[in-house]
């Protein structure tokens, strides 16, 4: 069986060669490639043990691209639409990964912009702004509730001239989010009507497991907590719920491996670490999932399996390696992606 590096390298060379040529050889920027596509490749290379193949000049050019885009939390520079909170957190996450090899990227990408925090959070309460229409959709609304503190953390911990300003609101923003979390379950509760929520879950269950959506949703907030070593609200309940889902769903949470698997596994690992739990059945399940991910990438990957799903699957592999203490087909130490990128 191929190593993770070899199997993923073969896949992205086959399907995304133009993007690879930009990132590895500093060639022309591929026409039609989105910022998300670029971020997907950065995360993929970092998680498949190929970060050392990234060309530093390509990283600088990427930062220059971001400098010309409107990103959440900053005043727009042009009439183009502002990138969503989720994608802004993802873009800054890619910068965080690239910054481990190339300096001054935030100075290029962000320093010519002016902060406009009031676009992403309520200044009086420090709560993240999110669309009320998605309040019942814990998975979707979590991209705003977790994305805002991730953006703030990225800038706060960077070499940007704005870092001090963002550092000053970092903890108040996260503290404010506690009011959107049920203390007994640790799950998000951004909605007001329990009756409407029950109706939403019935409809949501027609396509997805609503419990997976609930637990996967709170993961986007827990990433900040893991980054800052903050105790999880309702941590024991979350650990029990995520562990149950992890054991019940095989080989993956849904049909194909992607970021939802990471959300569940990362809660199991990090909540378990907070409580000092070491369960043999969970370690065994982690090794089994690593084998299944290896088999998936070594096999015939479906054509509909998008580039954006690859980083989530790879991040899950690393989480399983961290949980089990087994490297699988990794040649080097597993990566705690949230500690490195602050978002996925």
């Amino acid at each position: 069986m191929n190593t993770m590096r070899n199997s993923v390298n073969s896949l992205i060379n086959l399907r995304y060669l133009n993007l690879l040529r930009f990132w590895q050889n500093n060639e022309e920027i591929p026409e039609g490639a989105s910022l998300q596509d670029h971020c997907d490749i950065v995360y993929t290379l970092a998680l498949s043990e190929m970060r050392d193949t990234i060309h530093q000049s390509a990283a600088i050019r990427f930062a220059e691209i971001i400098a010309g885009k409107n990103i959440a939390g900053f005043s727009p520079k042009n009439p183009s639409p502002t990138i969503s909170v989720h994608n802004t957190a993802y873009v800054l996450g890619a910068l965080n990964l690239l910054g481990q090899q190339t300096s001054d990227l935030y100075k290029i990408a962000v320093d010519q912009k002016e902060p406009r925090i009031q676009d992403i959070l309520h200044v009086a309460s420090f709560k993240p702004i999110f669309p009320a229409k998605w309040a019942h959709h814990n998975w979707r609304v979590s991209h705003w509730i977790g994305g805002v503190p991730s953006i703030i953390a990225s800038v706060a911990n960077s070499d940007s001239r704005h870092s001090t300003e963002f550092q000053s609101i970092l903890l108040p923003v996260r503290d404010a989010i506690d009011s959107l979390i049920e203390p007994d379950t640790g799950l998000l509760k951004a909605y007001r009507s329990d009756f409407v929520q029950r109706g939403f879950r019935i409809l949501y269950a027609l396509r997805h497991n609503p419990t997976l959506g609930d637990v996967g949703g709170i993961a986007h907030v827990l990433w900040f907590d893991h980054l800052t070593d903050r105790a999880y609200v309702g941590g024991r309940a979350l650990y029990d719920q995520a562990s149950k889902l992890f054991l019940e769903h095989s080989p993956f949470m849904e049909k194909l491996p992607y970021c939802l698997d990471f959300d569940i596994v990362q809660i199991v690992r990090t909540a378990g670490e907070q409580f000092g739990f070491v369960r043999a059945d969970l370690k065994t399940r982690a090794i089994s999932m690593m084998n299944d991910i290896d088999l998936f990438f070594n096999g015939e990957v479906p054509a509909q399996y998008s580039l954006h799903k690859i980083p989530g699957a790879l991040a899950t592999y690393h989480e399983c390696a961290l949980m089990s203490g087994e490297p699988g087909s990794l040649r080097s130490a597993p990566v705690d992606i949230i500690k490195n990128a602050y978002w996925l």
Side-chain angles (χ1 to χ4, degrees), residues 31-219:
E31 200 171 322
S34 67
L35 273 182
Q36 179 175 283
D37 293 336
H38 283 289
C39 295
D40 290 338
I41 288 292
V42 171
Y43 274 78
T44 296
L45 293 174
L47 288 164
S48 57
E49 303 177 301
M50 292 187 283
R51 186 185 300 182
D52 59 342
T53 69
I54 294 175
H55 201 294
Q56 289 197 10
S57 294
I60 292 170
R61 291 170 70 190
F62 178 64
E64 291 170 347
I65 293 171
I66 298 169
K69 300 288 186 180
N70 299 328
I71 62 175
F74 290 87
S75 297
K77 297 193 68 175
N78 54 59
S80 301
T82 297
I83 299 167
S84 70
V85 165
H86 167 50
N87 279 337
T88 297
Y90 198 42
V91 164
L92 297 184
L95 277 188
N96 295 337
L97 292 173
L98 294 168
Q100 294 175 357
Q101 292 175 285
T102 307
S103 59
D104 296 335
L105 296 180
Y106 270 84
K107 292 179 181 177
I108 297 169
V110 173
D111 276 10
Q112 299 306 309
K113 306 177 187 293
E114 293 301 325
R116 201 158 80 178
I117 300 298
Q118 64 269 28
D119 288 351
I120 59 174
L121 60 84
H122 299 284
V123 178
S125 67
F126 289 104
K127 289 182 184 178
I129 294 172
F130 56 85
K133 66 180 180 178
W134 297 121
H136 290 275
H137 196 320
N138 284 337
W139 165 264
R140 180 165 289 190
V141 78
S142 69
H143 289 78
W144 284 271
I145 297 174
V148 168
S150 176
I151 291 169
I152 295 169
S154 286
V155 179
N157 293 320
S158 73
D159 58 2
S160 167
R161 69 184 178 92
H162 304 303
S163 61
T164 301
E165 179 178 351
F166 278 67
Q167 188 71 46
S168 69
I169 60 173
L170 189 59
L171 294 182
V173 169
R174 176 57 192 86
D175 288 343
I177 293 172
D178 277 353
S179 66
L180 301 173
I181 301 175
E182 289 186 311
D184 292 340
T185 65
L187 300 175
L188 285 173
K189 188 179 180 183
Y191 57 88
R192 295 183 179 180
S193 170
D194 291 333
F195 175 77
V196 175
Q197 179 66 9
R198 286 194 294 272
F200 168 80
R201 286 174 65 83
I202 291 170
L203 294 174
Y204 189 76
L206 297 175
R207 296 186 62 186
H208 300 282
N209 183 318
T211 303
L212 278 173
D214 290 342
V215 179
I218 192 60

Side-chain angles (χ1 to χ4, degrees), residues 220-241:
H220 295 85
V221 176
L222 300 185
W223 295 346
F224 177 91
D225 294 350
H226 177 57
L227 173 66
T228 58
D229 298 318
R230 181 187 179 110
Y232 294 171
V233 175
R236 180 57 195 262
L238 285 173
Y239 176 79
D240 291 342
Q241 184 80 278

